[in-house]
Amino acid sequence: MRFFRACLNILTGVFLIASVLVAGIVVALLATPGPPITLGILQPSPPAAAPVALSPPSETPSPLPSPSETPTATPTPTPTETPTATPTHTPYANLIRGPYLQHPRPSEVRVVWDTDLESSGGIAFSSAGESVVREESAIPARHHQVVFASLEPSTTYRYQVLLEGAPLHQEQTFTTLPATGSESVRFAVVGDTQSGHDRHRSIVERILAWSPDFVLHVGDLVSDGSSPADRARFFEIEQPLLASTFLFPTIGNHDKGPDPLFSLFDPPGSDPWYSFQAGPALFITLEVDGLEPYDDESPQYRWLESLLDRNRLPWVIIWFHIPPYSRSGELPDEVSVRRSLAGLFDDYAVDLVLSGHHHNYQRYERGHVTYIVSGGGGGSLHPLDDDLEGLGAYAVANHFVGIEIEGGRLTGQAIAPDGSVLDRFAISE
Protein backbone atom coordinates (compact mmCIF):
# COMPACT_ATOMS: atom_id res chain seq x y z
CA MET A 1 0.00 0.00 0.00
CA ARG A 2 2.78 2.38 0.86
CA PHE A 3 4.42 1.32 -2.40
CA PHE A 4 1.37 2.37 -4.45
CA ARG A 5 1.11 5.72 -2.64
CA ALA A 6 4.76 6.40 -3.36
CA CYS A 7 4.23 5.66 -7.08
CA LEU A 8 1.15 7.88 -7.20
CA ASN A 9 3.07 10.76 -5.59
CA ILE A 10 5.89 10.38 -8.16
CA LEU A 11 3.41 10.44 -11.09
CA THR A 12 1.66 13.47 -9.68
CA GLY A 13 4.95 15.33 -9.42
CA VAL A 14 5.93 14.43 -12.99
CA PHE A 15 2.53 15.69 -14.26
CA LEU A 16 2.91 18.98 -12.40
CA ILE A 17 6.45 19.52 -13.76
CA ALA A 18 5.26 18.75 -17.36
CA SER A 19 2.32 21.16 -17.00
CA VAL A 20 4.66 23.92 -15.88
CA LEU A 21 6.97 23.29 -18.88
CA VAL A 22 4.10 23.29 -21.42
CA ALA A 23 2.69 26.51 -19.97
CA GLY A 24 6.11 28.15 -20.27
CA ILE A 25 6.43 27.16 -23.93
CA VAL A 26 2.97 28.55 -24.74
CA VAL A 27 3.77 31.85 -23.03
CA ALA A 28 7.04 32.10 -24.98
CA LEU A 29 5.30 31.47 -28.30
CA LEU A 30 2.64 34.08 -27.65
CA ALA A 31 5.31 36.63 -26.81
CA THR A 32 7.15 36.05 -30.16
CA PRO A 33 6.36 38.78 -32.90
CA GLY A 34 4.42 37.50 -35.98
CA PRO A 35 2.04 38.69 -38.70
CA PRO A 36 -1.10 40.35 -37.41
CA ILE A 37 -4.34 38.50 -37.73
CA THR A 38 -7.28 40.58 -38.93
CA LEU A 39 -10.78 39.39 -38.50
CA GLY A 40 -13.53 40.73 -40.77
CA ILE A 41 -16.77 39.99 -42.51
CA LEU A 42 -16.66 39.14 -46.26
CA GLN A 43 -18.78 41.49 -48.38
CA PRO A 44 -20.18 40.48 -51.79
CA SER A 45 -18.44 42.18 -54.81
CA PRO A 46 -20.49 44.87 -56.58
CA PRO A 47 -21.97 43.72 -59.92
CA ALA A 48 -19.95 44.65 -63.06
CA ALA A 49 -21.28 47.63 -65.02
CA ALA A 50 -23.05 46.71 -68.27
CA PRO A 51 -21.46 48.12 -71.47
CA VAL A 52 -23.17 51.26 -72.73
CA ALA A 53 -24.29 50.95 -76.37
CA LEU A 54 -24.90 53.78 -78.82
CA SER A 55 -28.55 54.68 -78.71
CA PRO A 56 -30.65 54.68 -81.88
CA PRO A 57 -32.55 57.85 -82.78
CA SER A 58 -35.34 58.60 -80.32
CA GLU A 59 -38.10 61.15 -80.07
CA THR A 60 -36.33 63.05 -77.29
CA PRO A 61 -32.57 62.47 -77.82
CA SER A 62 -29.93 64.19 -75.75
CA PRO A 63 -28.27 67.35 -77.07
CA LEU A 64 -24.89 67.05 -78.73
CA PRO A 65 -22.15 67.79 -76.20
CA SER A 66 -20.26 71.00 -76.78
CA PRO A 67 -16.52 70.71 -77.41
CA SER A 68 -15.86 71.72 -73.81
CA GLU A 69 -17.85 68.80 -72.44
CA THR A 70 -16.54 65.25 -72.16
CA PRO A 71 -18.99 62.77 -73.69
CA THR A 72 -19.69 59.65 -71.64
CA ALA A 73 -17.62 56.79 -72.96
CA THR A 74 -18.25 53.05 -72.82
CA PRO A 75 -16.37 51.28 -69.98
CA THR A 76 -13.10 49.89 -71.29
CA PRO A 77 -10.79 47.10 -70.06
CA THR A 78 -8.98 49.84 -68.09
CA PRO A 79 -11.86 51.65 -66.40
CA THR A 80 -9.59 54.02 -64.47
CA GLU A 81 -8.70 55.83 -67.71
CA THR A 82 -10.97 58.73 -68.65
CA PRO A 83 -11.00 59.78 -72.33
CA THR A 84 -10.24 63.41 -73.05
CA ALA A 85 -12.81 65.63 -74.68
CA THR A 86 -11.47 64.99 -78.19
CA PRO A 87 -9.30 61.85 -78.22
CA THR A 88 -7.89 60.61 -81.53
CA HIS A 89 -8.23 56.93 -80.61
CA THR A 90 -9.67 54.50 -78.09
CA PRO A 91 -8.35 51.17 -76.82
CA TYR A 92 -10.54 49.50 -79.44
CA ALA A 93 -9.34 51.06 -82.73
CA ASN A 94 -7.43 54.01 -84.13
CA LEU A 95 -8.74 56.51 -86.64
CA ILE A 96 -6.36 56.31 -89.64
CA ARG A 97 -8.26 58.32 -92.29
CA GLY A 98 -11.03 60.87 -92.09
CA PRO A 99 -13.62 61.70 -91.33
CA TYR A 100 -14.25 63.17 -94.76
CA LEU A 101 -17.38 64.13 -96.67
CA GLN A 102 -18.52 62.37 -99.84
CA HIS A 103 -21.37 62.08 -102.34
CA PRO A 104 -22.89 65.45 -101.45
CA ARG A 105 -26.31 66.67 -102.54
CA PRO A 106 -28.32 69.68 -101.40
CA SER A 107 -30.30 67.24 -99.21
CA GLU A 108 -27.73 64.50 -98.52
CA VAL A 109 -24.17 63.84 -97.40
CA ARG A 110 -22.08 60.77 -96.65
CA VAL A 111 -19.53 60.78 -93.81
CA VAL A 112 -16.60 58.38 -94.37
CA TRP A 113 -13.81 57.26 -92.05
CA ASP A 114 -11.31 54.38 -91.70
CA THR A 115 -9.97 52.59 -88.63
CA ASP A 116 -7.01 50.25 -88.23
CA LEU A 117 -9.18 47.48 -86.74
CA GLU A 118 -12.67 46.25 -87.48
CA SER A 119 -15.00 48.19 -85.23
CA SER A 120 -18.53 49.48 -84.98
CA GLY A 121 -19.22 53.15 -84.58
CA GLY A 122 -21.70 55.91 -85.05
CA ILE A 123 -22.10 59.62 -85.51
CA ALA A 124 -23.53 62.30 -83.24
CA PHE A 125 -25.19 64.61 -85.73
CA SER A 126 -27.38 67.69 -85.59
CA SER A 127 -28.06 71.12 -87.02
CA ALA A 128 -27.96 74.29 -84.96
CA GLY A 129 -30.67 74.24 -82.33
CA GLU A 130 -31.69 70.62 -82.95
CA SER A 131 -31.29 67.52 -80.83
CA VAL A 132 -28.72 64.89 -81.58
CA VAL A 133 -29.44 62.06 -83.98
CA ARG A 134 -27.17 59.09 -83.49
CA GLU A 135 -26.63 56.78 -86.46
CA GLU A 136 -24.67 53.56 -86.04
CA SER A 137 -22.65 51.65 -88.60
CA ALA A 138 -24.61 48.46 -89.11
CA ILE A 139 -21.66 46.07 -89.52
CA PRO A 140 -18.22 46.21 -87.86
CA ALA A 141 -15.66 47.20 -90.50
CA ARG A 142 -12.50 49.16 -91.14
CA HIS A 143 -14.06 51.38 -93.82
CA HIS A 144 -17.14 53.16 -92.50
CA GLN A 145 -19.84 55.19 -94.24
CA VAL A 146 -22.94 56.78 -92.78
CA VAL A 147 -25.42 58.58 -95.04
CA PHE A 148 -27.57 61.45 -93.80
CA ALA A 149 -30.55 62.26 -96.01
CA SER A 150 -33.52 64.64 -95.92
CA LEU A 151 -31.25 67.58 -95.14
CA GLU A 152 -31.92 71.21 -96.00
CA PRO A 153 -29.91 72.98 -98.75
CA SER A 154 -27.36 75.62 -97.68
CA THR A 155 -27.77 74.56 -94.05
CA THR A 156 -24.94 74.06 -91.56
CA TYR A 157 -24.79 70.79 -89.63
CA ARG A 158 -22.38 69.53 -86.98
CA TYR A 159 -21.17 65.99 -86.44
CA GLN A 160 -18.73 63.85 -84.49
CA VAL A 161 -17.66 60.26 -85.17
CA LEU A 162 -17.97 58.01 -82.11
CA LEU A 163 -16.46 54.64 -81.26
CA GLU A 164 -18.00 52.80 -78.34
CA GLY A 165 -19.56 56.12 -77.31
CA ALA A 166 -16.25 58.03 -77.22
CA PRO A 167 -15.42 60.74 -79.80
CA LEU A 168 -12.67 59.97 -82.30
CA HIS A 169 -12.06 63.59 -83.35
CA GLN A 170 -13.09 67.15 -82.68
CA GLU A 171 -16.60 68.18 -83.59
CA GLN A 172 -16.85 69.32 -87.23
CA THR A 173 -19.35 71.37 -89.22
CA PHE A 174 -20.30 71.42 -92.90
CA THR A 175 -22.87 73.24 -95.01
CA THR A 176 -24.96 71.39 -97.58
CA LEU A 177 -24.80 72.40 -101.25
CA PRO A 178 -26.99 75.24 -102.52
CA ALA A 179 -30.30 74.12 -104.00
CA THR A 180 -30.33 73.57 -107.75
CA GLY A 181 -31.62 76.68 -109.47
CA SER A 182 -30.75 79.05 -106.63
CA GLU A 183 -29.00 82.30 -107.50
CA SER A 184 -25.50 81.87 -106.09
CA VAL A 185 -22.65 79.44 -105.48
CA ARG A 186 -19.06 79.84 -104.28
CA PHE A 187 -16.32 77.30 -105.04
CA ALA A 188 -12.54 76.92 -105.11
CA VAL A 189 -10.32 75.34 -107.77
CA VAL A 190 -6.95 73.73 -107.07
CA GLY A 191 -4.65 71.36 -108.95
CA ASP A 192 -1.37 69.45 -108.99
CA THR A 193 -0.94 69.33 -105.21
CA GLN A 194 1.49 66.41 -105.63
CA SER A 195 4.65 66.36 -103.49
CA GLY A 196 5.11 69.97 -102.37
CA HIS A 197 3.67 69.23 -98.95
CA ASP A 198 4.39 72.55 -97.23
CA ARG A 199 3.06 74.49 -100.22
CA HIS A 200 0.05 72.19 -100.40
CA ARG A 201 -0.67 72.75 -96.70
CA SER A 202 -0.51 76.53 -97.09
CA ILE A 203 -3.00 76.36 -99.99
CA VAL A 204 -5.40 74.25 -97.89
CA GLU A 205 -5.23 76.81 -95.08
CA ARG A 206 -5.99 79.65 -97.48
CA ILE A 207 -8.94 77.78 -99.06
CA LEU A 208 -10.37 77.15 -95.60
CA ALA A 209 -10.11 80.85 -94.81
CA TRP A 210 -11.93 81.65 -98.06
CA SER A 211 -14.87 79.35 -97.05
CA PRO A 212 -16.12 77.89 -100.35
CA ASP A 213 -19.24 75.74 -100.73
CA PHE A 214 -17.01 73.05 -102.27
CA VAL A 215 -13.66 72.50 -104.03
CA LEU A 216 -12.90 71.25 -107.55
CA HIS A 217 -9.53 69.48 -107.88
CA VAL A 218 -8.26 69.45 -111.48
CA GLY A 219 -6.05 66.37 -111.04
CA ASP A 220 -2.62 65.10 -109.95
CA LEU A 221 -3.66 65.01 -106.34
CA VAL A 222 -0.44 63.07 -105.60
CA SER A 223 2.79 62.16 -107.36
CA ASP A 224 2.01 58.43 -107.42
CA GLY A 225 -1.62 57.35 -107.18
CA SER A 226 -0.64 53.76 -106.29
CA SER A 227 1.62 54.78 -103.38
CA PRO A 228 0.05 54.24 -99.92
CA ALA A 229 2.45 56.82 -98.49
CA ASP A 230 1.40 59.45 -101.04
CA ARG A 231 -2.28 58.76 -100.40
CA ALA A 232 -1.80 58.95 -96.65
CA ARG A 233 0.06 62.26 -96.91
CA PHE A 234 -2.61 63.76 -99.17
CA PHE A 235 -5.37 62.90 -96.70
CA GLU A 236 -3.32 64.11 -93.74
CA ILE A 237 -2.74 67.54 -95.34
CA GLU A 238 -6.28 67.83 -96.69
CA GLN A 239 -7.97 66.58 -93.49
CA PRO A 240 -9.17 69.97 -92.17
CA LEU A 241 -10.68 70.73 -95.58
CA LEU A 242 -12.14 67.28 -96.31
CA ALA A 243 -13.87 67.11 -92.92
CA SER A 244 -15.78 70.35 -93.48
CA THR A 245 -15.95 70.93 -97.26
CA PHE A 246 -16.82 68.78 -100.26
CA LEU A 247 -13.97 67.98 -102.65
CA PHE A 248 -14.78 66.87 -106.22
CA PRO A 249 -11.67 65.33 -107.85
CA THR A 250 -10.80 64.49 -111.43
CA ILE A 251 -8.13 62.05 -112.57
CA GLY A 252 -4.67 63.32 -113.48
CA ASN A 253 -1.91 61.36 -115.18
CA HIS A 254 -0.22 60.83 -111.78
CA ASP A 255 -3.32 59.58 -109.97
CA LYS A 256 -3.76 56.10 -111.46
CA GLY A 257 -2.27 52.82 -110.27
CA PRO A 258 -3.18 49.27 -109.22
CA ASP A 259 -4.82 50.74 -106.13
CA PRO A 260 -5.62 54.26 -107.34
CA LEU A 261 -6.26 57.22 -105.10
CA PHE A 262 -9.51 57.90 -106.92
CA SER A 263 -11.01 54.71 -105.43
CA LEU A 264 -11.07 56.42 -102.02
CA PHE A 265 -13.55 59.00 -103.30
CA ASP A 266 -17.22 58.52 -104.04
CA PRO A 267 -18.31 61.31 -106.38
CA PRO A 268 -21.69 61.27 -108.12
CA GLY A 269 -22.09 58.67 -110.87
CA SER A 270 -20.26 55.42 -111.51
CA ASP A 271 -17.58 56.53 -114.00
CA PRO A 272 -14.45 58.65 -113.62
CA TRP A 273 -16.41 61.29 -115.54
CA TYR A 274 -19.46 62.62 -113.72
CA SER A 275 -21.59 65.73 -113.14
CA PHE A 276 -23.53 67.50 -110.42
CA GLN A 277 -25.66 70.61 -110.04
CA ALA A 278 -25.26 73.35 -107.44
CA GLY A 279 -27.02 76.70 -107.42
CA PRO A 280 -27.35 78.10 -110.95
CA ALA A 281 -24.65 75.91 -112.52
CA LEU A 282 -24.03 72.49 -114.03
CA PHE A 283 -20.58 71.09 -113.17
CA ILE A 284 -19.03 68.39 -115.38
CA THR A 285 -15.72 66.57 -115.05
CA LEU A 286 -14.03 64.50 -117.77
CA GLU A 287 -11.24 61.94 -117.72
CA VAL A 288 -8.65 63.77 -119.81
CA ASP A 289 -5.42 62.32 -118.44
CA GLY A 290 -3.68 61.22 -121.66
CA LEU A 291 -4.78 57.62 -121.09
CA GLU A 292 -8.51 57.41 -121.84
CA PRO A 293 -10.24 58.32 -125.15
CA TYR A 294 -12.34 61.48 -125.37
CA ASP A 295 -12.70 61.88 -129.16
CA ASP A 296 -16.12 62.08 -130.82
CA GLU A 297 -16.30 58.28 -131.16
CA SER A 298 -15.72 57.61 -127.46
CA PRO A 299 -18.42 56.84 -124.86
CA GLN A 300 -17.16 59.77 -122.82
CA TYR A 301 -17.72 62.27 -125.65
CA ARG A 302 -21.22 60.96 -126.39
CA TRP A 303 -22.11 61.16 -122.68
CA LEU A 304 -20.84 64.75 -122.51
CA GLU A 305 -22.73 65.83 -125.64
CA SER A 306 -25.97 64.32 -124.36
CA LEU A 307 -25.56 65.99 -120.98
CA LEU A 308 -24.92 69.41 -122.54
CA ASP A 309 -27.91 69.00 -124.84
CA ARG A 310 -30.26 68.29 -121.90
CA ASN A 311 -28.94 71.06 -119.64
CA ARG A 312 -31.25 73.96 -118.78
CA LEU A 313 -29.17 75.72 -116.11
CA PRO A 314 -27.69 79.12 -117.10
CA TRP A 315 -24.05 78.32 -116.20
CA VAL A 316 -21.85 75.39 -117.34
CA ILE A 317 -18.43 74.74 -115.76
CA ILE A 318 -16.24 71.84 -116.97
CA TRP A 319 -13.02 70.66 -115.34
CA PHE A 320 -10.39 68.05 -116.26
CA HIS A 321 -6.62 67.63 -116.10
CA ILE A 322 -4.80 68.25 -119.44
CA PRO A 323 -5.59 71.73 -120.81
CA PRO A 324 -6.58 72.51 -124.40
CA TYR A 325 -4.56 75.76 -124.31
CA SER A 326 -1.24 76.52 -122.63
CA ARG A 327 1.98 78.48 -122.97
CA SER A 328 4.11 76.09 -120.97
CA GLY A 329 5.67 73.68 -123.46
CA GLU A 330 2.52 72.56 -125.30
CA LEU A 331 2.34 68.78 -125.69
CA PRO A 332 0.63 66.66 -128.38
CA ASP A 333 -2.06 65.65 -125.88
CA GLU A 334 -3.02 69.30 -125.46
CA VAL A 335 -3.42 69.76 -129.21
CA SER A 336 -5.62 66.63 -129.25
CA VAL A 337 -7.81 67.98 -126.44
CA ARG A 338 -8.29 71.26 -128.27
CA ARG A 339 -9.20 69.55 -131.55
CA SER A 340 -11.60 67.06 -129.93
CA LEU A 341 -13.41 69.18 -127.37
CA ALA A 342 -13.09 72.93 -128.00
CA GLY A 343 -15.67 72.86 -130.79
CA LEU A 344 -18.20 71.11 -128.57
CA PHE A 345 -17.62 73.70 -125.82
CA ASP A 346 -18.33 76.47 -128.35
CA ASP A 347 -21.45 74.78 -129.71
CA TYR A 348 -23.04 74.53 -126.27
CA ALA A 349 -21.81 77.87 -124.91
CA VAL A 350 -19.79 76.40 -122.04
CA ASP A 351 -18.78 79.28 -119.76
CA LEU A 352 -15.65 78.08 -117.97
CA VAL A 353 -13.15 75.25 -118.59
CA LEU A 354 -10.70 74.49 -115.76
CA SER A 355 -7.54 72.37 -116.10
CA GLY A 356 -4.15 71.77 -114.48
CA HIS A 357 -1.13 69.71 -115.56
CA HIS A 358 1.14 72.78 -115.87
CA HIS A 359 2.28 74.04 -112.49
CA ASN A 360 1.41 77.70 -112.91
CA TYR A 361 -1.60 79.96 -113.57
CA GLN A 362 -2.86 80.85 -117.06
CA ARG A 363 -6.09 82.43 -118.36
CA TYR A 364 -7.41 82.54 -121.91
CA GLU A 365 -10.60 83.79 -123.59
CA ARG A 366 -11.64 81.91 -126.72
CA GLY A 367 -15.01 83.08 -128.01
CA HIS A 368 -17.61 82.56 -125.30
CA VAL A 369 -15.38 80.23 -123.27
CA THR A 370 -12.88 81.23 -120.58
CA TYR A 371 -10.07 78.69 -120.08
CA ILE A 372 -8.10 78.55 -116.81
CA VAL A 373 -4.97 76.52 -116.07
CA SER A 374 -4.60 76.17 -112.30
CA GLY A 375 -1.71 73.86 -111.40
CA GLY A 376 -0.24 75.75 -108.47
CA GLY A 377 -1.46 73.57 -105.59
CA GLY A 378 1.94 72.36 -104.40
CA GLY A 379 3.98 70.73 -107.16
CA SER A 380 7.22 72.31 -108.36
CA LEU A 381 6.44 75.33 -110.54
CA HIS A 382 6.80 75.28 -114.34
CA PRO A 383 8.09 78.26 -116.37
CA LEU A 384 6.12 79.76 -119.24
CA ASP A 385 7.16 79.99 -122.89
CA ASP A 386 8.66 83.15 -124.32
CA ASP A 387 5.70 83.53 -126.71
CA LEU A 388 2.71 84.59 -124.58
CA GLU A 389 0.48 85.74 -127.43
CA GLY A 390 -3.21 85.21 -126.71
CA LEU A 391 -2.62 84.75 -122.99
CA GLY A 392 -4.94 86.97 -120.94
CA ALA A 393 -3.14 86.59 -117.60
CA TYR A 394 -0.50 84.37 -116.02
CA ALA A 395 1.56 83.81 -112.87
CA VAL A 396 4.30 81.34 -112.04
CA ALA A 397 3.20 80.97 -108.44
CA ASN A 398 1.42 78.65 -106.04
CA HIS A 399 -2.27 79.52 -105.80
CA PHE A 400 -5.88 78.42 -105.91
CA VAL A 401 -8.75 80.04 -107.81
CA GLY A 402 -11.81 81.31 -105.94
CA ILE A 403 -14.98 81.65 -108.05
CA GLU A 404 -18.40 83.08 -107.21
CA ILE A 405 -21.60 83.16 -109.25
CA GLU A 406 -24.26 85.67 -108.32
CA GLY A 407 -27.21 85.66 -110.68
CA GLY A 408 -25.96 86.62 -114.15
CA ARG A 409 -22.33 87.32 -113.21
CA LEU A 410 -19.34 85.08 -112.48
CA THR A 411 -16.23 86.52 -110.84
CA GLY A 412 -12.93 84.82 -110.11
CA GLN A 413 -9.56 85.52 -108.57
CA ALA A 414 -6.29 83.60 -108.37
CA ILE A 415 -5.16 83.77 -104.74
CA ALA A 416 -1.63 83.07 -103.43
CA PRO A 417 -0.95 81.38 -100.06
CA ASP A 418 -0.29 84.77 -98.43
CA GLY A 419 -3.73 86.01 -99.54
CA SER A 420 -2.49 88.29 -102.33
CA VAL A 421 -4.53 88.29 -105.56
CA LEU A 422 -2.62 87.30 -108.71
CA ASP A 423 -5.47 87.83 -111.20
CA ARG A 424 -9.11 88.87 -111.33
CA PHE A 425 -11.64 88.10 -114.06
CA ALA A 426 -15.39 88.34 -114.66
CA ILE A 427 -17.87 86.68 -117.02
CA SER A 428 -21.40 87.80 -117.78
CA GLU A 429 -24.11 85.32 -118.66
Side-chain angles (χ1 to χ4, degrees):
M1 189 66 169
R2 289 179 180 176
F3 174 78
F4 286 108
R5 286 180 179 174
C7 289
L8 182 59
N9 290 334
I10 292 171
L11 289 172
T12 300
V14 170
F15 177 77
L16 290 174
I17 293 170
S19 298
V20 171
L21 290 173
V22 169
I25 292 171
V26 170
V27 170
L29 288 173
L30 290 175
T32 302
I37 300 175
T38 302
L39 299 178
I41 300 174
L42 293 177
Q43 298 289 344
S45 299
V52 179
L54 293 176
S55 303
S58 64
E59 295 183 358
T60 57
S62 303
L64 185 68
S66 66
S68 61
E69 297 174 341
T70 303
T72 303
T74 301
T76 71
T78 55
T80 57
E81 295 180 359
T82 302
T84 60
T86 54
T88 57
H89 68 277
T90 75
Y92 298 94
N94 297 319
L95 183 67
I96 59 173
R97 182 181 295 115
Y100 58 105
L101 306 172
Q102 288 291 288
H103 211 79
R105 295 286 191 274
S107 62
E108 182 178 307
V109 68
R110 183 172 298 163
V111 181
V112 181
W113 71 98
D114 293 291
T115 52
D116 61 347
L117 302 174
E118 285 200 355
S119 59
S120 61
I123 294 182
F125 181 88
S126 74
S127 64
E130 287 187 350
S131 299
V132 173
V133 177
R134 291 184 183 231
E135 292 283 348
E136 294 184 59
S137 297
I139 301 173
R142 295 189 180 191
H143 183 69
H144 305 263
Q145 300 187 56
V146 175
V147 178
F148 292 96
S150 301
L151 307 180
E152 294 295 325
S154 299
T155 300
T156 299
Y157 293 87
R158 56 196 180 117
Y159 74 96
Q160 194 168 41
V161 175
L162 308 175
L163 180 63
E164 304 293 343
L168 284 179
H169 64 97
Q170 292 183 345
E171 184 182 87
Q172 298 286 344
T173 63
F174 68 86
T175 301
T176 46
L177 293 179
T180 300
S182 57
E183 288 292 309
S184 63
V185 67
R186 176 183 174 94
F187 61 98
V189 181
V190 66
D192 297 86
T193 44
Q194 293 190 352
S195 57
H197 304 312
D198 290 339
R199 297 186 293 271
H200 180 190
R201 197 181 305 276
S202 67
I203 294 292
V204 166
E205 292 171 356
R206 184 56 59 181
I207 292 175
L208 279 168
W210 197 73
S211 300
D213 295 325
F214 55 87
V215 179
L216 305 181
H217 198 299
V218 295
D220 279 4
L221 286 73
V222 297
S223 293
D224 180 359
S226 64
S227 165
D230 279 11
R231 294 197 301 270
R233 180 59 67 89
F234 175 84
F235 275 89
E236 182 267 320
I237 293 172
E238 292 271 341
Q239 176 57 34
L241 187 63
L242 297 176
S244 59
T245 308
F246 310 112
L247 185 141
F248 294 93
T250 197
I251 292 180
N253 55 295
H254 283 273
D255 293 327
K256 284 192 170 181
D259 184 19
L261 174 71
F262 199 80
S263 66
L264 297 173
F265 292 92
D266 183 24
S270 58
D271 290 303
W273 57 88
Y274 60 91
S275 69
F276 69 96
Q277 299 175 354
L282 170 66
F283 294 84
I284 305 169
T285 191
L286 304 174
E287 185 176 5
V288 181
D289 57 0
L291 302 173
E292 294 298 323
Y294 47 80
D295 60 271
D296 58 5
E297 298 296 324
S298 68
Q300 183 171 200
Y301 184 100
R302 293 194 294 271
W303 170 84
L304 172 62
E305 186 174 32
S306 174
L307 186 61
L308 291 172
D309 189 59
R310 299 193 312 269
N311 175 57
R312 296 297 179 265
L313 291 172
W315 294 93
V316 178
I317 290 94
I318 298 179
W319 84 104
F320 50 82
H321 187 58
I322 296 178
Y325 297 95
S326 77
R327 288 289 184 272
S328 190
E330 186 174 72
L331 302 172
D333 280 339
E334 298 170 32
V335 177
S336 175
V337 174
R338 183 165 65 247
R339 290 174 176 171
S340 297
L341 298 175
L344 188 63
F345 299 156
D346 289 334
D347 291 344
Y348 285 94
V350 170
D351 299 287
L352 187 62
V353 174
L354 305 160
S355 302
H357 199 48
H358 296 298
H359 301 179
N360 47 50
Y361 173 79
Q362 304 176 53
R363 176 169 58 83
Y364 302 83
E365 282 78 31
R366 295 290 185 270
H368 178 82
V369 186
T370 297
Y371 293 87
I372 300 289
V373 175
S374 178
S380 300
L381 296 173
H382 294 169
L384 293 166
D385 297 342
D386 293 334
D387 180 11
L388 300 179
E389 182 180 355
L391 184 57
Y394 64 90
V396 181
N398 293 112
H399 69 281
F400 78 95
V401 181
I403 299 172
E404 295 182 83
I405 300 176
E406 287 284 350
R409 184 174 173 81
L410 179 152
T411 57
Q413 48 189 330
I415 304 172
D418 63 3
S420 60
V421 176
L422 307 175
D423 180 40
R424 300 181 191 271
F425 60 93
I427 305 171
S428 296
E429 185 185 341

